[in-house]
Amino acid sequence: MMRLVVVSNRVTMPERGEKVAAGGLAVALRSALEQHGGLWFGWSGATSAEPSSRVEPVRLGKVSYAVVDLSEAERQSYYLGFSNRALWPLMHYRLGLTEFNRSDYAGYLAVNRRFARLLLPLLKPDDVIWIHDYHLIPLAAELRRRGVTNRIGYFHHIPWPSAEVFGALPFSATLISTMTAYDLVGMQTQVDADNLIGGLVALRGARREGDRVRAGPRSTVVQAFPIGIDVEAFRKLAAASVRAVTQPIRATTGPLGGRKLVIGVDRLDYSKGIVQRLEAFGQFLRSHPEHRGNVGLLQIAPPSRSDVPEYAELDRQSDEVAGRLNAALGEFDWTPIRVVKKAYSRSALAGFYRRAQVGLVTPMRDGMNLVAKEYVAAQNPEDPGVLVLSRFAGAAHQLGEALIVNPYDTHEVAEAIRTALAMPKSERVRRFERLYATIASSDIGWWTSRYLAALSGAGAAESAVPPPGTPKPASGARKPAVRQSVRSRPAAEKPAAKGGAKPAGAASGAGFGKKRSDFRQPARAKPLPNAPSPR
Ligand code: ADQ
């Protein structure tokens, strides 16, 4: 059987008990690795003065971990610089925040080259290699240059902008060209997939054939695989939180008394629209004064990437806006907004979600947004809360029964909060049931197995990949790739062409075409801490 090799910017080794990245993705990848036996390669998260020239994998059960330190200069240029000050803002459509500098770009390429060099001696001939996210775009090209002919897949967790936006990046044509070294590229939505293909056509002169793009002798399949969460685990945690109200929940929501709760949970990141959300909540209280005193917003936002100046500024700004609104609108016995900058365990988070009548998920742009799915998974089916969701989150392409809003429109978000709080139970239940059915049928196990089946089939057959986003397609049905809530999306966002709807069918067997149940996560006695991943 083939071995799976996962490469990601950060690797969390279970025995280190790290507080970071123990979220659904890390658990799902580990579970896929355990199924097949495998290797997980990437940055340790640490820096050292003399980064090693070779790496010795550490075996824990069926999984080997190979972690590499970075030098401080590499952390600055590759991670904080090019990845997080150029690619991150650019791919979230924030050209104004995009800081390009040549030495950061050189550092980014150098780390990708070093990773390729260190990974090479660890590879076996039929390993299937799965690379994750924007830090590692050129890694496959570096591996190919060194003679690697294995199947190599890539999953892009964040949005991919249109060629017009991506083209603003110096060396954009060179960087986008490296994507053609992959056999399969997974995107969160069909819009992102179309944008990448459009970019390869416009900047690289590639040829599009449905969901396949040809540049030179190679061809790459680009498709949407909307990522999911471990719905069942989250549902159970939330249900358990009702029986045993955990300490943080008592402490944080206790003082709310019988008041209603609106919740936001995000890494403190400008893509998440936290400041705009606080303003929208203030607007809601101003427009609907009858709600003053009986509802509060709890915004949980642990700081991330504090070394990047834009993040420090956001931290300051969110404090300032919350302080201003609380001073203007609060009463002696009621504080409208609380901002809590802590990471909580999964079970505490599930309890908060369940307790909240409204889940406010309003990013300005987001690849998927797992919080939206976690909020739905945690609801009480008999008396569920209402999800208010940004149309610019990838999740909006699947979760059309949420109240879909434009996060740039403060009034629209404010009115959605009012509508959500007033929504009759029958409508809440109806919307919840559809949302739940969607997230349950495209959960993290489904995502992992679909992607790996497609990767192991990619190149074997032209149409080996099942249509993503349609969890249980009727056989032979030609459905759109993802349930698009087209009504709620601006015209410019609509995919220009719907190429590549393929007949349904699992990828032809190359070792990973497993049943979904094969990838279910093992029961864990104690939930892992779930800090947001250190992106
Ligand atoms: P992120 O930008 O990190 O992920 P998101 O998808 O919302 O965004 O995932 C965040 C995770 O961190 C969630 O599981 C959430 O529960 C957790 N989290 C947030 N705040 C927390 C807190 N205070 N305590 C504990 N846990 C907390 C990137 C992309 C997304 C994409 C994911 C997965 O930006 O668009 O959905 O990868 O592909």
Side-chain angles (χ1 to χ4, degrees):
M1 191 163 62
M2 287 177 181
R3 186 176 74 145
L4 175 62
V5 174
V6 170
V7 187
S8 60
N9 172 53
R10 283 292 305 275
V11 176
T12 35
M13 293 175 59
E15 113 283 25
R16 290 193 176 183
E18 291 195 49
K19 277 210 244 74
V20 289
L25 177 64
V27 176
L29 290 177
R30 194 169 292 147
S31 151
L33 284 162
E34 274 162 6
Q35 287 289 330
H36 303 283
L39 173 70
W40 196 343
F41 178 96
W43 179 28
S44 63
T47 55
S48 62
E50 278 175 40
S52 43
S53 54
R54 56 190 290 274
V55 54
E56 202 53 61
V58 177
R59 199 182 167 97
L60 295 166
K62 288 175 79 180
V63 184
S64 296
Y65 295 84
V67 297
V68 181
D69 291 349
L70 295 181
S71 70
E72 183 51 33
E74 286 174 333
R75 191 180 82 96
Q76 291 290 340
S77 57
Y78 149 84
Y79 177 68
L80 295 174
F82 191 70
S83 295
N84 285 329
R85 292 193 80 189
L87 288 180
W88 177 273
L90 178 86
M91 290 188 161
H92 287 85
Y93 295 72
R94 299 293 290 271
L95 276 176
L97 296 179
T98 301
E99 291 279 333
F100 178 83
N101 112 28
R102 277 167 201 249
S103 71
D104 285 350
Y105 183 51
Y108 175 84
L109 295 177
V111 168
N112 273 274
R113 266 198 305 273
R114 192 155 80 82
F115 277 14
R117 225 170 26 242
L118 292 170
L119 181 57
L120 193 65
L122 308 179
L123 293 176
K124 296 180 185 163
D126 8 303
D127 284 349
V128 167
I129 304 167
W130 191 6
I131 295 170
H132 287 262
D133 233 0
Y134 59 101
H135 316 84
L136 301 172
I137 289 171
L139 186 56
E142 291 297 337
L143 290 169
R144 298 277 184 232
R145 214 206 299 269
R146 288 165 176 76
V148 173
T149 54
N150 301 47
R151 294 268 164 78
I152 311 183
Y154 171 84
F155 188 78
H156 190 69
H157 290 260
I158 66 177
W160 193 288
S162 70
E164 282 298 305
V165 173
F166 189 78
L169 186 76
F171 305 106
S172 53
T174 317
L175 186 61
I176 204 169
S177 294
T178 66
M179 291 296 267
T180 60
Y182 292 98
D183 295 299
L184 175 69
V185 171
M187 292 280 163
Q188 300 277 24
T189 71
Q190 190 58 43
V191 173
D192 301 310
D194 286 332
N195 281 343
L196 172 61
I197 295 176
L200 282 164
V201 170
L203 301 167
R204 170 73 174 79
R207 230 164 0 106
R208 177 177 194 159
E209 292 164 14
D211 55 11
R212 195 173 275 275
V213 57
R214 288 188 194 277
R218 294 199 58 82
S219 81
T220 301
V221 172
V222 182
Q223 291 189 327
F225 295 82
I227 195 168
I229 62 161
D230 188 343
V231 174
E232 184 57 16
F234 228 87
R235 186 190 64 74
K236 283 193 184 140
L237 284 176
S241 78
V242 177
R243 289 189 290 280
V245 178
T246 51
Q247 211 282 325
I249 295 175
R250 225 189 353 257
T252 314
T253 64
L256 289 167
R259 287 175 181 135
K260 290 193 169 172
L261 178 64
V262 176
I263 195 165
V265 175
D266 314 78
R267 275 187 309 104
L268 194 56
D269 190 299
Y270 50 78
S271 66
K272 304 293 183 182
I274 296 166
V275 168
Q276 294 83 346
R277 183 182 314 160
L278 301 180
E279 296 283 12
F281 191 72
Q283 179 62 46
F284 154 72
L285 292 173
R286 279 194 208 95
S287 314
H288 304 285
E290 68 281 9
H291 282 284
R292 292 191 197 173
N294 66 25
V295 57
L297 169 63
L298 171 61
Q299 174 63 54
I300 299 181
S304 66
R305 304 176 192 164
S306 324
D307 302 0
V308 175
E310 290 78 15
Y311 288 74
E313 168 61 15
L314 173 67
D315 198 356
R316 195 196 55 70
Q317 213 184 344
S318 60
D319 285 353
E320 185 209 297
V321 172
R324 171 166 54 74
L325 292 171
N326 281 338
L329 297 162
E331 302 285 348
F332 76 95
D333 60 348
W334 170 67
T335 306
I337 297 173
R338 271 154 202 266
V339 179
V340 184
K341 295 181 185 170
K342 274 186 63 178
Y344 286 97
S345 69
R346 287 188 93 61
S347 70
L349 219 49
F352 288 134
Y353 291 139
R354 183 133 173 158
R355 163 76 179 76
Q357 283 73 24
V358 182
L360 209 44
V361 181
T362 54
M364 314 314 279
R365 192 67 66 166
D366 219 329
M368 176 55 60
N369 194 298
L370 298 179
V371 169
K373 296 185 174 184
E374 290 167 1
Y375 178 76
V376 172
Q379 294 311 298
N380 174 0
E382 265 124 54
D383 190 14
V386 178
L387 177 64
V388 175
L389 179 60
S390 162
R391 65 170 57 173
F392 301 123
H397 294 219
Q398 290 179 293
L399 305 181
E401 291 85 8
L403 293 181
I404 303 290
V405 294
N406 175 356
Y408 291 91
D409 186 343
T410 311
H411 280 267
E412 189 179 311
V413 178
E415 286 313 295
I417 296 170
R418 192 194 59 82
T419 305
L421 287 168
M423 191 179 284
K425 194 199 264 189
S426 57
E427 185 177 349
R428 283 188 278 122
V429 169
R430 187 175 56 73
R431 286 175 185 262
F432 163 79
E433 283 173 353
R434 295 204 191 150
L435 292 171
Y436 191 90
T438 302
I439 61 167
S441 59
S442 53
D443 69 359
I444 188 71
W446 172 87
W447 178 80
T448 317
S449 58
R450 281 302 211 208
Y451 185 89
L452 289 175
L455 176 57
S456 52
E462 285 286 314
S463 51
V465 185
T470 44
K472 285 175 193 153
S475 79
R478 293 175 67 87
K479 291 188 176 178
V482 182
R483 285 177 56 206
Q484 311 273 4
S485 60
V486 171
R487 257 178 307 122
S488 59
R489 290 168 44 231
E493 283 284 293
K494 289 176 194 165
K498 277 275 169 54
K502 299 283 182 201
S508 50
F512 289 112
K514 292 282 178 182
K515 292 198 303 292
R516 180 180 137 187
S517 56
D518 291 342
F519 290 90
R520 291 216 72 80
Q521 298 168 16
R524 279 178 285 134
K526 244 174 63 190
L528 288 161
N530 178 41
S533 74
R535 292 177 168 280

